Amino acid sequence: GPFWRQRIIHKTLPILMKTLQEQASSRSPPALGSLAVVAHMLCSVSQTHLGESKIRQMIPTLIARLVYFSKNLDVIAQDDKATKGLDVLSIILAALTKILRISPEDVTKFVGVIIPSLLLLSTCNASKTYTPNQLIALQCLEIVTTHPNARNAVLREKDQVTAALSVIVDHPSKIIRQAVVHVRNVWFTL
């Protein structure tokens, strides 16, 4: 029916928010299932249906797992269950892209953590199945430069980002090379 999003939100959101609060108090990383639901809801449900307060409650979970993936990507890529991890990473990056575009003010305080994580994800030389994630990470790095409230954090990271991107300009994939050159030029012109 036409109201499937509203039904899903009505049924799922209270359970999800309770789970996120429990996981936040336990200090354990969020389970992939609840993380996938958070990222999927952020991607496919409009901001007005979710509500700004719920989005602000979901963002720290998303950022925490982004940092986890960026630091452990080599281990995750070698694991037999790597496709599940890389699929969840794709959803996380897509949700981050959407948040950076539609409500950048909600992630302002996380920009200092987001940029190094995206840099690690975009410079990783994992398998060919990782290329789409690398492109989305590069896209997020470009979007961050347009963030109006995080100009100081972006300028602090400028030298590190341009140096790291210069290293992967010779990536084996042509599409990655083109994206890296584009993003590096955007960072150079800040």
PDB file of all heavy atoms in Angstrom, residues 24-53:
ATOM      1  N   ALA A  24      23.740   1.788  23.798  1.00  0.00           N
ATOM      2  CA  ALA A  24      24.558   2.940  24.207  1.00  0.00           C
ATOM      3  C   ALA A  24      24.986   2.819  25.666  1.00  0.00           C
ATOM      4  O   ALA A  24      26.102   3.182  26.020  1.00  0.00           O
ATOM      5  CB  ALA A  24      23.786   4.228  23.984  1.00  0.00           C
ATOM      6  N   SER A  25      24.107   2.294  26.497  1.00  0.00           N
ATOM      7  CA  SER A  25      24.456   2.154  27.910  1.00  0.00           C
ATOM      8  C   SER A  25      25.377   0.961  28.168  1.00  0.00           C
ATOM      9  O   SER A  25      26.096   0.928  29.151  1.00  0.00           O
ATOM     10  CB  SER A  25      23.192   2.033  28.761  1.00  0.00           C
ATOM     11  OG  SER A  25      22.493   0.852  28.423  1.00  0.00           O
ATOM     12  N   SER A  26      25.377  -0.024  27.266  1.00  0.00           N
ATOM     13  CA  SER A  26      26.211  -1.209  27.473  1.00  0.00           C
ATOM     14  C   SER A  26      27.637  -1.037  26.953  1.00  0.00           C
ATOM     15  O   SER A  26      28.487  -1.870  27.184  1.00  0.00           O
ATOM     16  CB  SER A  26      25.569  -2.433  26.819  1.00  0.00           C
ATOM     17  OG  SER A  26      25.676  -2.332  25.411  1.00  0.00           O
ATOM     18  N   ARG A  27      27.893   0.007  26.186  1.00  0.00           N
ATOM     19  CA  ARG A  27      29.221   0.305  25.635  1.00  0.00           C
ATOM     20  C   ARG A  27      29.717  -0.732  24.626  1.00  0.00           C
ATOM     21  O   ARG A  27      30.873  -0.739  24.254  1.00  0.00           O
ATOM     22  CB  ARG A  27      30.272   0.458  26.739  1.00  0.00           C
ATOM     23  CG  ARG A  27      30.009   1.573  27.684  1.00  0.00           C
ATOM     24  CD  ARG A  27      30.457   2.845  27.048  1.00  0.00           C
ATOM     25  NE  ARG A  27      30.335   3.916  28.040  1.00  0.00           N
ATOM     26  CZ  ARG A  27      30.234   5.167  27.705  1.00  0.00           C
ATOM     27  NH1 ARG A  27      30.243   5.501  26.449  1.00  0.00           N
ATOM     28  NH2 ARG A  27      30.120   6.091  28.617  1.00  0.00           N
ATOM     29  N   SER A  28      28.866  -1.650  24.231  1.00  0.00           N
ATOM     30  CA  SER A  28      29.263  -2.602  23.195  1.00  0.00           C
ATOM     31  C   SER A  28      28.895  -2.017  21.838  1.00  0.00           C
ATOM     32  O   SER A  28      27.966  -1.212  21.741  1.00  0.00           O
ATOM     33  CB  SER A  28      28.565  -3.947  23.402  1.00  0.00           C
ATOM     34  OG  SER A  28      27.176  -3.799  23.279  1.00  0.00           O
ATOM     35  N   PRO A  29      29.618  -2.406  20.788  1.00  0.00           N
ATOM     36  CA  PRO A  29      29.282  -1.863  19.472  1.00  0.00           C
ATOM     37  C   PRO A  29      27.893  -2.328  19.045  1.00  0.00           C
ATOM     38  O   PRO A  29      27.453  -3.416  19.419  1.00  0.00           O
ATOM     39  CB  PRO A  29      30.369  -2.428  18.550  1.00  0.00           C
ATOM     40  CG  PRO A  29      30.924  -3.584  19.271  1.00  0.00           C
ATOM     41  CD  PRO A  29      30.726  -3.339  20.727  1.00  0.00           C
ATOM     42  N   PRO A  30      27.196  -1.525  18.276  1.00  0.00           N
ATOM     43  CA  PRO A  30      25.848  -1.910  17.860  1.00  0.00           C
ATOM     44  C   PRO A  30      25.872  -3.157  16.988  1.00  0.00           C
ATOM     45  O   PRO A  30      26.795  -3.364  16.201  1.00  0.00           O
ATOM     46  CB  PRO A  30      25.346  -0.697  17.083  1.00  0.00           C
ATOM     47  CG  PRO A  30      26.560   0.084  16.729  1.00  0.00           C
ATOM     48  CD  PRO A  30      27.600  -0.243  17.742  1.00  0.00           C
ATOM     49  N   ALA A  31      24.861  -3.975  17.155  1.00  0.00           N
ATOM     50  CA  ALA A  31      24.750  -5.185  16.358  1.00  0.00           C
ATOM     51  C   ALA A  31      24.517  -4.798  14.901  1.00  0.00           C
ATOM     52  O   ALA A  31      23.932  -3.751  14.611  1.00  0.00           O
ATOM     53  CB  ALA A  31      23.596  -6.036  16.876  1.00  0.00           C
ATOM     54  N   LEU A  32      24.981  -5.647  13.994  1.00  0.00           N
ATOM     55  CA  LEU A  32      24.827  -5.334  12.574  1.00  0.00           C
ATOM     56  C   LEU A  32      23.367  -5.192  12.177  1.00  0.00           C
ATOM     57  O   LEU A  32      23.028  -4.382  11.325  1.00  0.00           O
ATOM     58  CB  LEU A  32      25.501  -6.405  11.714  1.00  0.00           C
ATOM     59  CG  LEU A  32      27.020  -6.379  11.677  1.00  0.00           C
ATOM     60  CD1 LEU A  32      27.546  -7.468  10.749  1.00  0.00           C
ATOM     61  CD2 LEU A  32      27.553  -5.041  11.242  1.00  0.00           C
ATOM     62  N   GLY A  33      22.482  -5.967  12.809  1.00  0.00           N
ATOM     63  CA  GLY A  33      21.064  -5.894  12.466  1.00  0.00           C
ATOM     64  C   GLY A  33      20.463  -4.540  12.789  1.00  0.00           C
ATOM     65  O   GLY A  33      19.831  -3.900  11.941  1.00  0.00           O
ATOM     66  N   SER A  34      20.673  -4.081  14.018  1.00  0.00           N
ATOM     67  CA  SER A  34      20.115  -2.779  14.397  1.00  0.00           C
ATOM     68  C   SER A  34      20.801  -1.652  13.631  1.00  0.00           C
ATOM     69  O   SER A  34      20.170  -0.663  13.259  1.00  0.00           O
ATOM     70  CB  SER A  34      20.226  -2.546  15.899  1.00  0.00           C
ATOM     71  OG  SER A  34      21.564  -2.600  16.323  1.00  0.00           O
ATOM     72  N   LEU A  35      22.084  -1.819  13.354  1.00  0.00           N
ATOM     73  CA  LEU A  35      22.802  -0.818  12.572  1.00  0.00           C
ATOM     74  C   LEU A  35      22.259  -0.742  11.153  1.00  0.00           C
ATOM     75  O   LEU A  35      22.073   0.348  10.608  1.00  0.00           O
ATOM     76  CB  LEU A  35      24.288  -1.154  12.545  1.00  0.00           C
ATOM     77  CG  LEU A  35      25.152  -0.186  11.761  1.00  0.00           C
ATOM     78  CD1 LEU A  35      25.197   1.159  12.470  1.00  0.00           C
ATOM     79  CD2 LEU A  35      26.526  -0.745  11.588  1.00  0.00           C
ATOM     80  N   ALA A  36      21.978  -1.900  10.552  1.00  0.00           N
ATOM     81  CA  ALA A  36      21.418  -1.925   9.201  1.00  0.00           C
ATOM     82  C   ALA A  36      20.047  -1.256   9.176  1.00  0.00           C
ATOM     83  O   ALA A  36      19.718  -0.529   8.234  1.00  0.00           O
ATOM     84  CB  ALA A  36      21.322  -3.362   8.689  1.00  0.00           C
ATOM     85  N   VAL A  37      19.248  -1.479  10.215  1.00  0.00           N
ATOM     86  CA  VAL A  37      17.926  -0.848  10.285  1.00  0.00           C
ATOM     87  C   VAL A  37      18.073   0.667  10.414  1.00  0.00           C
ATOM     88  O   VAL A  37      17.364   1.421   9.739  1.00  0.00           O
ATOM     89  CB  VAL A  37      17.091  -1.428  11.451  1.00  0.00           C
ATOM     90  CG1 VAL A  37      15.803  -0.654  11.640  1.00  0.00           C
ATOM     91  CG2 VAL A  37      16.789  -2.897  11.202  1.00  0.00           C
ATOM     92  N   VAL A  38      18.995   1.123  11.265  1.00  0.00           N
ATOM     93  CA  VAL A  38      19.227   2.562  11.422  1.00  0.00           C
ATOM     94  C   VAL A  38      19.612   3.173  10.081  1.00  0.00           C
ATOM     95  O   VAL A  38      19.038   4.178   9.648  1.00  0.00           O
ATOM     96  CB  VAL A  38      20.333   2.835  12.473  1.00  0.00           C
ATOM     97  CG1 VAL A  38      20.842   4.261  12.389  1.00  0.00           C
ATOM     98  CG2 VAL A  38      19.818   2.550  13.867  1.00  0.00           C
ATOM     99  N   ALA A  39      20.592   2.585   9.420  1.00  0.00           N
ATOM    100  CA  ALA A  39      21.072   3.126   8.150  1.00  0.00           C
ATOM    101  C   ALA A  39      19.977   3.078   7.085  1.00  0.00           C
ATOM    102  O   ALA A  39      19.812   4.033   6.320  1.00  0.00           O
ATOM    103  CB  ALA A  39      22.302   2.355   7.682  1.00  0.00           C
ATOM    104  N   HIS A  40      19.231   1.987   7.050  1.00  0.00           N
ATOM    105  CA  HIS A  40      18.161   1.864   6.054  1.00  0.00           C
ATOM    106  C   HIS A  40      17.073   2.913   6.302  1.00  0.00           C
ATOM    107  O   HIS A  40      16.580   3.533   5.359  1.00  0.00           O
ATOM    108  CB  HIS A  40      17.560   0.459   6.082  1.00  0.00           C
ATOM    109  CG  HIS A  40      16.472   0.263   5.096  1.00  0.00           C
ATOM    110  ND1 HIS A  40      16.705   0.209   3.741  1.00  0.00           N
ATOM    111  CD2 HIS A  40      15.137   0.140   5.262  1.00  0.00           C
ATOM    112  CE1 HIS A  40      15.561   0.046   3.108  1.00  0.00           C
ATOM    113  NE2 HIS A  40      14.587   0.000   4.011  1.00  0.00           N
ATOM    114  N   MET A  41      16.718   3.121   7.563  1.00  0.00           N
ATOM    115  CA  MET A  41      15.693   4.124   7.861  1.00  0.00           C
ATOM    116  C   MET A  41      16.182   5.525   7.513  1.00  0.00           C
ATOM    117  O   MET A  41      15.428   6.333   6.976  1.00  0.00           O
ATOM    118  CB  MET A  41      15.268   4.040   9.316  1.00  0.00           C
ATOM    119  CG  MET A  41      14.439   2.808   9.615  1.00  0.00           C
ATOM    120  SD  MET A  41      13.812   2.807  11.278  1.00  0.00           S
ATOM    121  CE  MET A  41      12.154   3.370  10.971  1.00  0.00           C
ATOM    122  N   LEU A  42      17.429   5.812   7.802  1.00  0.00           N
ATOM    123  CA  LEU A  42      17.964   7.125   7.467  1.00  0.00           C
ATOM    124  C   LEU A  42      18.003   7.343   5.956  1.00  0.00           C
ATOM    125  O   LEU A  42      17.811   8.460   5.479  1.00  0.00           O
ATOM    126  CB  LEU A  42      19.355   7.310   8.066  1.00  0.00           C
ATOM    127  CG  LEU A  42      19.401   7.511   9.577  1.00  0.00           C
ATOM    128  CD1 LEU A  42      20.835   7.461  10.077  1.00  0.00           C
ATOM    129  CD2 LEU A  42      18.744   8.814   9.978  1.00  0.00           C
ATOM    130  N   CYS A  43      18.239   6.252   5.211  1.00  0.00           N
ATOM    131  CA  CYS A  43      18.307   6.364   3.752  1.00  0.00           C
ATOM    132  C   CYS A  43      16.934   6.478   3.099  1.00  0.00           C
ATOM    133  O   CYS A  43      16.743   7.246   2.174  1.00  0.00           O
ATOM    134  CB  CYS A  43      19.021   5.149   3.154  1.00  0.00           C
ATOM    135  SG  CYS A  43      20.784   5.178   3.342  1.00  0.00           S
ATOM    136  N   SER A  44      15.986   5.682   3.558  1.00  0.00           N
ATOM    137  CA  SER A  44      14.743   5.552   2.804  1.00  0.00           C
ATOM    138  C   SER A  44      13.550   6.301   3.380  1.00  0.00           C
ATOM    139  O   SER A  44      12.535   6.423   2.719  1.00  0.00           O
ATOM    140  CB  SER A  44      14.381   4.072   2.662  1.00  0.00           C
ATOM    141  OG  SER A  44      14.145   3.500   3.925  1.00  0.00           O
ATOM    142  N   VAL A  45      13.645   6.801   4.588  1.00  0.00           N
ATOM    143  CA  VAL A  45      12.515   7.485   5.202  1.00  0.00           C
ATOM    144  C   VAL A  45      12.830   8.974   5.258  1.00  0.00           C
ATOM    145  O   VAL A  45      13.958   9.369   5.574  1.00  0.00           O
ATOM    146  CB  VAL A  45      12.244   6.928   6.623  1.00  0.00           C
ATOM    147  CG1 VAL A  45      11.102   7.660   7.282  1.00  0.00           C
ATOM    148  CG2 VAL A  45      11.958   5.441   6.549  1.00  0.00           C
ATOM    149  N   SER A  46      11.838   9.777   4.959  1.00  0.00           N
ATOM    150  CA  SER A  46      12.064  11.220   4.927  1.00  0.00           C
ATOM    151  C   SER A  46      12.343  11.763   6.330  1.00  0.00           C
ATOM    152  O   SER A  46      11.943  11.179   7.338  1.00  0.00           O
ATOM    153  CB  SER A  46      10.852  11.944   4.327  1.00  0.00           C
ATOM    154  OG  SER A  46       9.776  11.912   5.231  1.00  0.00           O
ATOM    155  N   GLN A  47      12.980  12.892   6.337  1.00  0.00           N
ATOM    156  CA  GLN A  47      13.373  13.536   7.586  1.00  0.00           C
ATOM    157  C   GLN A  47      12.138  13.922   8.402  1.00  0.00           C
ATOM    158  O   GLN A  47      12.145  13.819   9.624  1.00  0.00           O
ATOM    159  CB  GLN A  47      14.207  14.774   7.248  1.00  0.00           C
ATOM    160  CG  GLN A  47      14.842  15.444   8.415  1.00  0.00           C
ATOM    161  CD  GLN A  47      15.727  16.601   7.972  1.00  0.00           C
ATOM    162  OE1 GLN A  47      15.736  16.988   6.813  1.00  0.00           O
ATOM    163  NE2 GLN A  47      16.457  17.162   8.897  1.00  0.00           N
ATOM    164  N   THR A  48      11.075  14.330   7.742  1.00  0.00           N
ATOM    165  CA  THR A  48       9.867  14.737   8.466  1.00  0.00           C
ATOM    166  C   THR A  48       9.180  13.551   9.123  1.00  0.00           C
ATOM    167  O   THR A  48       8.613  13.689  10.205  1.00  0.00           O
ATOM    168  CB  THR A  48       8.872  15.445   7.529  1.00  0.00           C
ATOM    169  OG1 THR A  48       8.586  14.602   6.417  1.00  0.00           O
ATOM    170  CG2 THR A  48       9.425  16.761   7.042  1.00  0.00           C
ATOM    171  N   HIS A  49       9.221  12.376   8.487  1.00  0.00           N
ATOM    172  CA  HIS A  49       8.592  11.197   9.076  1.00  0.00           C
ATOM    173  C   HIS A  49       9.377  10.666  10.278  1.00  0.00           C
ATOM    174  O   HIS A  49       8.791  10.190  11.244  1.00  0.00           O
ATOM    175  CB  HIS A  49       8.437  10.074   8.043  1.00  0.00           C
ATOM    176  CG  HIS A  49       7.357  10.349   7.054  1.00  0.00           C
ATOM    177  ND1 HIS A  49       7.618  10.565   5.727  1.00  0.00           N
ATOM    178  CD2 HIS A  49       6.012  10.459   7.199  1.00  0.00           C
ATOM    179  CE1 HIS A  49       6.488  10.791   5.092  1.00  0.00           C
ATOM    180  NE2 HIS A  49       5.496  10.737   5.961  1.00  0.00           N
ATOM    181  N   LEU A  50      10.688  10.722  10.197  1.00  0.00           N
ATOM    182  CA  LEU A  50      11.509  10.237  11.313  1.00  0.00           C
ATOM    183  C   LEU A  50      11.502  11.210  12.487  1.00  0.00           C
ATOM    184  O   LEU A  50      11.452  10.797  13.637  1.00  0.00           O
ATOM    185  CB  LEU A  50      12.949  10.011  10.870  1.00  0.00           C
ATOM    186  CG  LEU A  50      13.254   8.723  10.151  1.00  0.00           C
ATOM    187  CD1 LEU A  50      14.712   8.691   9.725  1.00  0.00           C
ATOM    188  CD2 LEU A  50      12.929   7.524  11.010  1.00  0.00           C
ATOM    189  N   GLY A  51      11.579  12.461  12.175  1.00  0.00           N
ATOM    190  CA  GLY A  51      11.673  13.471  13.221  1.00  0.00           C
ATOM    191  C   GLY A  51      13.125  13.787  13.515  1.00  0.00           C
ATOM    192  O   GLY A  51      13.972  12.899  13.567  1.00  0.00           O
ATOM    193  N   GLU A  52      13.401  15.051  13.701  1.00  0.00           N
ATOM    194  CA  GLU A  52      14.787  15.491  13.904  1.00  0.00           C
ATOM    195  C   GLU A  52      15.410  14.916  15.171  1.00  0.00           C
ATOM    196  O   GLU A  52      16.587  14.581  15.194  1.00  0.00           O
ATOM    197  CB  GLU A  52      14.854  17.012  13.929  1.00  0.00           C
ATOM    198  CG  GLU A  52      14.625  17.636  12.573  1.00  0.00           C
ATOM    199  CD  GLU A  52      14.769  19.144  12.592  1.00  0.00           C
ATOM    200  OE1 GLU A  52      15.482  19.668  13.466  1.00  0.00           O
ATOM    201  OE2 GLU A  52      14.177  19.783  11.722  1.00  0.00           O
ATOM    202  N   SER A  53      14.623  14.777  16.221  1.00  0.00           N
ATOM    203  CA  SER A  53      15.182  14.247  17.471  1.00  0.00           C
ATOM    204  C   SER A  53      15.580  12.777  17.316  1.00  0.00           C
ATOM    205  O   SER A  53      16.604  12.350  17.850  1.00  0.00           O
ATOM    206  CB  SER A  53      14.190  14.409  18.614  1.00  0.00           C
ATOM    207  OG  SER A  53      13.035  13.618  18.391  1.00  0.00           O
TER     208      SER A  53
END
